[in-house]
Amino acid sequence: MSLQIVRTVADLRAQVAAWKAAGERVGFVPTMGALHEGHLSLVRLARTRAQRVVASVFVNPTQFGPNEDFDAYPRDEARDAELLAGAGCDLLFAPTVAEMYPDGFATTVTVTGVSEPLDGQARPGHFAGVATVVSKLLNQSQAHVAVFGEKDYQQLQVIRRVVRDLDLPVEIVGGPTARAEDGLALSSRNAYLTDAERPIAGQLNQVMRHAIAELNAGARVDAVEAKAVAALEGAGFARIDYVEVRDAGDLSRLGPGPVDRPARILAAAVLGKTRLIDNMAV
Ligand code: PAF
């Protein structure tokens, strides 16, 4: 299957308009590239919902903090394009920074509530960068349906909020997290892990699974969270940003006692130079 690559909003819109005029449904998978099986599963999911699939690859500078890995973030467009074509993607939108943020750009989309705890605290400004670029990408692509990975669960909930609040005419679908055999959630940043760190990284998910089993058996949230943090410290993680059990919808805090509503356990921890995140339904 051949993959069309466009770099301007005008070219993207022209192709999407042509598909829509032919009565075709359009799906969209925004990414920052360095694609892996997790991204490709989102493309395949989009394909089940639409006749045409657009993916974007744009390493968005505004969602990286000053001391984060924007410069080091892995970039390989030729490889990404080949993988996208193989997964059934029709069009790759790969804009430049100047196309996305032309001179004079002055608008930011900020979301209160759901974007404030967890990564909102650990990465100030991150979700404003995500909400702004995703609002732009959804508006640029004019897709009927957009698919985002549940791996970035807080991001997914922030995007759902933006789409509802700004009446964006697009259906948002969450795709399940793809994992390695030991449970490690697939992530472009896993490429930073050394051989020695890789087995330790898998323990993040193992600790979370153990926590879920305890919660399901009626254990208190506060005790389970504290135990999980201690287990990650013991495993060799240098910094634990959070391990928290939160409301599955708005990510508000639960009480300290046993889980009393649909919940999600979310964790972020640093191993060497790599910051890992993961989450699972409780
Ligand atoms: O999840 C990502 O890869 C990015 O945050 C996204 C949604 C493409 C916005 O830059």
Side-chain angles (χ1 to χ4, degrees), residues 27-33 35 39 42-43 46 53-58 63 84 92-93 130 133-138 141 143 145-149 152 155 159 170 172-173:
F28 180 41
V29 183
T31 82
M32 296 206 301
L35 301 182
H39 297 109
L42 303 181
V43 171
V53 177
V54 174
S56 61
V57 169
F58 178 64
Q63 69 188 74
L84 287 170
L92 166 58
F93 176 50
V130 169
V133 82
V134 170
S135 303
K136 285 172 64 69
L137 288 165
L138 294 175
S141 70
V145 54
V147 183
F148 294 84
D152 297 290
Q155 166 175 283
I159 290 165
V170 59
I172 301 297
V173 172

